[in-house]
Amino acid sequence: MSSMDFTQASVWLPLFFFVAMGIAMLSYVVLDGYDLGIGMLLNRGNDADKDMMIASIGPFWDANETWIVLGVGLLLVAFPLAHGQILTELYLPVAAMLLGLILRGVSFDFRVKVNIEQKPLWNLLFYLGSLIASVSQGIMIGRLIVGFDSGALGWLFSLLVGLCLPAGYVLLGATWLILKTEGTLQQKAFRWAKNSLWLTGLGIALVSLATPYFSTEIMHKWFSWPQIIWLSPVPIATGILFLLTLRSINALEKKSTQKEWLPFACVVAIFWLAFFGIAYSIFPYVIIGKVTLWQAAAATESLWVIFWGAIVVLPTILGYTLFSYRIFKGKATALTYY
Amino acid sequence: MSVNPYLPGATVLDSLLFSRIQFGANISFHILFPTISIALGWFLFFFKIQHIRTGQDYWQEAYRFWVKIFALTFALGVVSGITMSFQFGTNWPGYMETVGNIAGPLLAYEVLTAFFLEATFLGVMLFGANRVSPLVHTVATFLVAFGTSLSAFWIIVLNSWMQTPQGFKMVDGKAYAVDWLAIVFNPSMPYRFWHMMLASFLTVSFLLAGISAYRYLRNSRSPANFLVMKLSLTVAMVLIPLQIMLGDMHGLNTLQHQPAKLAAMEGIWEGGSGVPAVIFAVPNQKTRSNDYEISIPKLASLYLTHSVDGEVKGLNDFGDKIPPVAPVFFAFRVMVGMGVLMLLCSWIGRWQLRQNRQLPKWMARVLVAMTFSGWIAVLAGWYVTEIGRQPYLVTGVLTTAQAVTTLPAGMVFSTLFAYLVLYVGLLAAYIWVVFYLARQADAKDAQGHPAPKKTDSSFSPFGV
C-alpha cells in the first residue's frame, strides 16, 4: 500500500470508483431506506394514513431506487472481477431482494389504480415487498462483512444484520414522515420513530461488537494503535446523534421546537457514520481478505471512459434531483396526476 | 459436461439450462414494458403539445387517461430492469469477466445519462402538474420520453455489439476497447435501434387503438377517445411499411455479419447459388434438414442477394456453431405474420375512419383483439435475434456456456420458479388494470363525475 504511486491513473482511478460506488450505495441506503421504511410501517396506519404515507414518497421512490442500479452498475463496471464473485455468493439474498423490490415497486402503482376491494391486497404486497427487500439487504451487508464465511456463526451474524437494517430503515421512514406529514399521522410517526430508534441503536451496538469478532482483519484495523484514537470520534458522534434524535423528537411532540427536519437529518448522519465504519473496515478490499479493489479493477482505459462521463453527469444528476425535491418540498399532499 | 462442484450429481448443464430459461423469462418480461413506455412517452408529449397548440381539452383528456397507463408500465419496466442488472452478475459471471471492459462503460452511460433523468422527471411529470408551470411540466414530459429513448439506445448499442462485435482486442482472454466509436457504431446497431424504435411505436399504436376501440364498444363517445383511435391508426398505417423496409435492410445486414442466424431464419441447410425460399417446414436439427418443406425455388437468393443465382450460405456450412434452428425459424414467421396482420388492420381501420366516420363493430372487436399484438411481434423478433446468436453470447468471442454461473442447479431452479410465478401474476394484473382503467374512464364520462369506487371487477377485455 505504502509503495503505491497515487499519481498513476491505474492507482487512483480504481480508488475514485471505490469511493463513487460507496457514495452511490450510501445514497441508495438513505434514499430508498426511507421509502422502504415507510413500506414496513404501512400496515400500522389506517386507510387515510396509508394514502398519505405513500403520497409522501410518491414523487421520489423511482429516482431513489435508481441509486442501487448505479451502485451495482459501478461494481459491475469498475470491478468486474469482484462483481461476478460477490453476486454469485449473494445469489439467494439478491434474488429475494429483487422479488421484494418488484413487488413493492408495482404495488405502489397498482394500489391506486385497482378497485377498492383489491386495494388491501396491494397494500399488503407493498408491505411484504419492502420487508423482504430490507431484510435481504441486511443479510447481504452481513455476508459482505464476514467475507462470505459459510459457518453457522457467519450466517447468524448475517441474519442479525438482516434484522437491524430494517429497524434502521423504519427509523428513516418514521423521521421522514415527521418531516412530511402533520396531525395524527405525525403523532404516530413520533411514536414509531422512538420505538425504532432503540432497536436501531441496539442493532448498531450488536453489529459493532460482533464485527471484530468475526473478522480478525477488521479487529486489527479498529483496535491497533494509533488508529483507535482517530476512529474513536465515530462511535462517540453516533451516540451523540442518537441522543439528539431522541431529544428533538420529544421537543417536537411537546411543540417546543419547529425543527421537523432535525430528526431525519440526525438519522441520515447516523447512517453516514455507520456506512463510513463499514467502508473503512472493508477498505482496501472489495471482498474482505481476498480481493483488493486494485486487483478487481477493470482496465484503466475503460475507467477513463466512465470517469469523464461521471464527472460531467453526476453534478447534473445532483442538480435535477435537488430541483425535484424543491418542487415537492413542504408537507405531502394527496397524490394526483393533475 | 462437467460436474457441479456444489452439488455432486447435478451437472453444470442444468445450471446452464435453468439460467438460460431464467434470463430468457426475465428479459422477455422486462422488454414488454420499455417497448410500451418508449413510444408512449412520445405520444404523451405529442398530446401535451397539441393541447398547448390547439387549446382543445380533448388532448388534455387523452394525456390524463394515458399517463396512468404510462406510470404503471414504467413501474413494471423499472423493477424488472433492476432485476436484469443484477442477473448479469448472479447468472452470467463469465460475461463481465470477459467483456466487462466494453459492456461496463456502455451500461454505466445508460445509468448516468438515462436512468436518473427519466426516474427523476417521472415524479415531476406524474405528480407535479399543480406545482410547476405548464412549460416545466411539458419539459418534464419531454425529458422522460427522451430519457426512455436514450436508455433504449445504450442497451441496443450493447446488444448490437454483442451480435456484431468490433473495435476491441483480446488479451489473455479478456476484451479491451480499442476504438469506442467503432464499438458504439457497430455494423448492426443502426438497424437494430430503428427497428426497435419503430416496433415500440407500432406496439403503442395498437395498444392505443385497441383500448380506444374497447371504450368505443362500451359506448364511449368521448371525442378524445375517437381522436386517439384515429391518430394511432394513422401512425400504424404509415410506420408499418417503413418497418417492413427497415426489416429487409436489417436482414441484409444479418446476412453479411451473422450468416448462420440468417440461414436459421430462412431454414436453409444447404447453401449455394439460387437457394429456395422456404415457406413452411419443420427444421430437424438431428438430420440437419427440413421435414415437410414447402419452398419456392431460387426466391431466397433473389430477395437476399437481389440476384436469382446469388450465393447464400446454408447451416451446414457452419458445422456445430449453429443456433437451435426451429425456434428461430418459427419465431421469424410469427413476427412477419404479425406484421402483415397489423398492416391489414391499420389500413382497413384507417380507411373506415376516413372523414370522421365510425368504425364498424366487427373492426372494433378486431382492434380490441389486437391490443397487445405488438408484444407478440416484439417478443418473436427478439427470439429471432437472441436465439439466432447462439451458441455465442458475444459472437465469436464468448459462448453462452462459458459465461454461465456454476451455482447449484437447484438454487437457480427455485429462483426461476419464484420469478415465473411473479411474472405471470403481474402480467395478468397489468392487462386487467389497463382494461379496468378504460372502463373507469368511461364510467366517468357517462356520469360527468368521478367513477363510483365500487365497480364491476370481472375480467372481460374480449367479452365486449
Side-chain angles (χ1 to χ4, degrees):
Chain A
M1 276 274 292
S2 54
S3 63
M4 283 192 146
D5 178 4
F6 280 88
T7 57
Q8 292 290 313
S10 61
V11 176
W12 68 261
L13 264 176
L15 189 62
F16 170 86
F17 280 100
F18 188 73
V19 173
M21 185 173 78
I23 292 173
M25 293 288 192
L26 178 62
S27 304
Y28 172 77
V29 165
V30 168
L31 294 172
D32 214 28
Y34 75 73
D35 57 51
L36 284 166
I38 285 171
M40 285 182 280
L41 285 169
L42 195 69
N43 61 358
R44 296 178 185 230
N46 59 34
D47 280 352
D49 291 342
K50 287 187 170 101
D51 287 344
M52 191 50 74
M53 287 162 85
I54 301 268
S56 78
I57 57 175
F60 311 111
W61 80 269
D62 201 352
N64 290 348
E65 207 156 275
T66 306
W67 287 97
I68 199 174
V69 183
L70 182 63
V72 170
L74 287 177
L75 176 64
L76 178 110
V77 166
F79 307 104
L81 290 179
H83 174 265
Q85 279 186 51
I86 290 177
L87 290 188
T88 306
E89 289 281 357
L90 294 178
Y91 188 80
L92 286 182
V94 163
M97 175 190 77
L98 291 173
L99 292 168
L101 289 180
I102 292 175
L103 272 183
R104 190 185 67 118
V106 300
S107 308
F108 173 86
D109 238 282
F110 275 123
R111 69 181 287 285
V112 286
K113 295 191 174 66
V114 294
N115 51 8
I116 205 91
E117 286 89 357
Q118 292 182 359
K119 207 168 167 183
L121 171 71
W122 292 106
N123 280 337
L124 178 72
L125 290 175
F126 189 81
Y127 163 77
L128 280 179
S130 306
L131 184 68
I132 295 170
S134 307
V135 171
S136 27
Q137 283 173 10
I139 292 176
M140 283 153 62
I141 295 176
R143 300 303 296 153
L144 204 64
I145 293 175
V146 296
F148 308 121
D149 173 82
S150 54
L153 275 175
W155 274 104
L156 198 67
F157 175 80
S158 308
L159 291 176
L160 179 69
V161 184
L163 294 178
C164 296
L165 189 69
Y169 282 174
V170 167
L171 177 60
L172 269 170
T175 50
W176 174 258
L177 285 176
I178 293 174
L179 177 64
K180 298 296 277 186
T181 65
E182 49 206 344
T184 52
L185 179 56
Q186 196 189 33
Q187 295 296 326
K188 288 179 193 169
F190 289 139
R191 212 174 56 235
W192 296 333
K194 280 195 281 191
N195 290 342
S196 52
L197 186 66
W198 293 112
L199 273 174
T200 309
L202 184 71
I204 293 183
L206 282 175
V207 170
S208 304
L209 288 176
T211 302
Y213 175 83
F214 278 104
S215 166
T216 43
E217 188 104 24
I218 292 180
M219 188 168 77
H220 282 298
K221 267 171 116 174
W222 284 12
F223 299 112
S224 62
W225 196 262
Q227 280 96 318
I228 193 166
I229 291 295
W230 66 267
L231 266 181
S232 57
V234 176
I236 294 171
T238 306
I240 293 173
L241 282 164
F242 266 103
L243 291 177
L244 191 58
T245 313
L246 187 63
R247 268 190 52 156
S248 64
I249 294 172
N250 282 329
L252 283 166
E253 255 185 317
K254 286 190 222 120
K255 300 202 191 309
S256 61
T257 171
Q258 298 285 306
K259 291 176 183 159
E260 289 174 322
W261 54 269
L262 190 59
F264 184 71
C266 289
V267 177
V268 171
I270 292 171
F271 267 82
W272 266 94
L273 290 170
F275 193 88
F276 173 78
I278 294 175
Y280 171 80
S281 307
I282 293 178
F283 182 84
Y285 291 105
V286 187
I287 303 171
I288 291 185
K290 290 179 191 136
V291 185
T292 70
L293 64 102
W294 290 284
Q295 285 164 346
T300 308
E301 189 276 335
S302 290
L303 292 183
W304 270 122
V305 175
I306 314 162
F307 176 79
W308 291 118
I311 288 291
V312 175
V313 178
L314 280 176
T316 318
I317 293 175
L318 190 68
Y320 60 63
T321 302
L322 291 176
F323 175 68
S324 138
Y325 272 82
R326 218 192 56 174
I327 290 175
F328 296 102
K329 74 170 191 273
K331 296 293 181 188
T333 50
L335 285 188
T336 147
Y337 283 155
Y338 32 80
Chain B
M1 194 189 298
S2 57
V3 174
N4 191 315
Y6 290 86
L7 194 72
T11 58
V12 172
L13 192 68
D14 300 325
S15 286
L16 173 63
L17 182 67
F18 292 141
S19 277
R20 287 173 78 164
I21 296 173
Q22 189 182 94
F23 200 68
N26 202 328
I27 217 163
S28 300
F29 181 72
H30 173 69
I31 199 173
L32 300 176
F33 304 103
T35 298
I36 288 179
S37 47
I38 292 167
L40 190 51
W42 290 114
F43 270 102
L44 286 173
F45 179 61
F46 179 75
F47 295 164
K48 189 95 197 164
I49 293 285
Q50 285 295 81
H51 174 60
I52 293 171
R53 210 176 55 84
T54 65
Q56 297 280 14
D57 283 340
Y58 316 139
W59 294 110
Q60 177 89 323
E61 197 187 322
Y63 185 93
R64 286 175 179 181
F65 174 68
W66 285 100
V67 80
K68 289 181 191 158
I69 291 172
F70 182 80
L72 189 66
T73 313
F74 199 92
L76 278 152
V78 168
V79 293
S80 54
I82 291 176
T83 310
M84 305 227 332
S85 68
F86 277 91
Q87 283 199 340
F88 282 124
T90 53
N91 294 40
W92 309 100
Y95 174 69
M96 288 312 281
E97 281 165 21
T98 312
V99 297
N101 288 328
I102 289 160
L106 297 178
L107 288 168
Y109 270 91
E110 185 197 10
V111 179
L112 287 171
T113 61
F115 274 11
F116 280 102
L117 193 71
E118 42 185 323
T120 307
F121 284 98
L122 182 74
V124 181
M125 173 180 164
L126 295 182
F127 306 117
N130 289 332
R131 290 173 179 257
V132 297
S133 68
L135 176 69
V136 173
H137 192 244
T138 307
V139 170
T141 307
F142 169 80
L143 287 175
V144 171
F146 178 74
T148 313
S149 300
L150 193 59
S151 176
F153 171 79
W154 287 116
I155 283 299
I156 285 177
V157 164
L158 174 57
N159 183 280
S160 301
W161 181 81
M162 288 159 68
Q163 305 267 356
T164 52
Q166 64 171 27
F168 69 105
K169 60 172 190 250
M170 297 298 290
V171 181
D172 298 332
K174 282 173 72 180
Y176 289 83
V178 176
D179 178 355
W180 279 102
L181 274 180
I183 289 170
V184 172
F185 297 97
N186 63 76
S188 64
M189 190 279 282
Y191 302 99
R192 221 175 284 279
F193 176 69
W194 289 111
H195 198 49
M196 183 65 219
M197 289 303 278
L198 284 184
S200 172
F201 271 89
L202 290 174
T203 303
V204 173
S205 293
F206 275 85
L207 175 70
L208 295 173
I211 295 297
S212 305
Y214 177 70
R215 291 177 61 181
Y216 168 71
L217 283 172
R218 290 176 52 87
N219 290 319
S220 163
R221 292 297 178 266
S222 144
N225 196 46
F226 183 76
L227 220 55
V228 168
M229 192 184 327
K230 198 166 177 177
L231 171 72
S232 58
L233 286 174
T234 310
V235 170
M237 181 186 76
V238 175
L239 292 188
I240 295 177
L242 275 180
Q243 181 73 314
I244 293 172
M245 278 163 54
L246 194 67
D248 182 54
M249 287 156 72
H250 188 56
L252 294 179
N253 180 266
T254 306
L255 175 69
Q256 189 185 348
H257 295 279
Q258 293 176 289
K261 180 196 284 186
L262 193 96
M265 285 159 66
E266 298 287 347
I268 301 168
W269 291 93
E270 279 306 324
S273 62
V275 293
V278 180
I279 305 299
F280 180 81
V282 179
N284 188 328
Q285 202 107 4
K286 279 203 190 98
T287 62
R288 298 185 76 99
S289 64
N290 289 329
D291 300 337
Y292 316 108
E293 183 180 302
I294 302 168
S295 54
I296 301 173
K298 294 185 188 271
L299 183 62
S301 276
L302 180 66
Y303 65 63
L304 291 173
T305 64
H306 298 173
S307 143
V308 207
D309 293 315
E311 282 274 343
V312 176
K313 282 195 170 175
L315 288 157
N316 289 336
D317 295 324
F318 301 97
D320 287 342
K321 300 281 187 202
I322 60 167
V325 181
V328 178
F329 179 83
F330 287 118
F332 181 62
R333 272 144 193 80
V334 169
M335 179 185 75
V336 172
M338 203 43 98
V340 172
L341 206 56
M342 290 166 101
L343 181 77
L344 286 175
C345 284
S346 61
W347 282 18
I348 295 171
R350 183 61 186 83
W351 180 75
Q352 285 167 335
L353 284 182
R354 71 196 185 281
Q355 291 152 4
N356 290 342
R357 286 169 212 222
Q358 296 287 0
L359 275 185
K361 282 238 154 90
W362 68 267
M363 188 61 202
R365 289 201 185 97
V366 168
L367 287 180
V368 172
M370 295 283 287
T371 304
F372 290 101
S373 54
W375 275 1
I376 298 170
V378 165
L379 281 180
W382 275 99
Y383 293 150
V384 171
T385 205
E386 297 303 289
I387 300 175
R389 165 177 69 184
Q390 303 301 326
Y392 288 110
L393 196 58
V394 180
T395 307
V397 175
L398 179 73
T399 65
T400 311
Q402 285 168 335
V404 78
T405 180
T406 52
L407 279 170
M411 235 183 200
V412 183
F413 181 74
S414 59
T415 53
L416 165 65
F417 183 75
Y419 282 124
L420 282 180
V421 169
L422 188 63
Y423 289 164
V424 170
L426 289 180
L427 198 58
Y430 176 83
I431 295 174
W432 184 86
V433 167
V434 167
F435 283 99
Y436 174 77
L437 287 173
R439 290 198 293 277
Q440 222 185 15
D442 293 336
K444 214 171 173 177
D445 282 351
Q447 295 160 13
H449 59 75
K453 292 267 178 181
K454 292 209 172 199
T455 17
D456 176 25
S457 63
S458 61
F459 177 68
S460 61
F462 304 117
V464 290

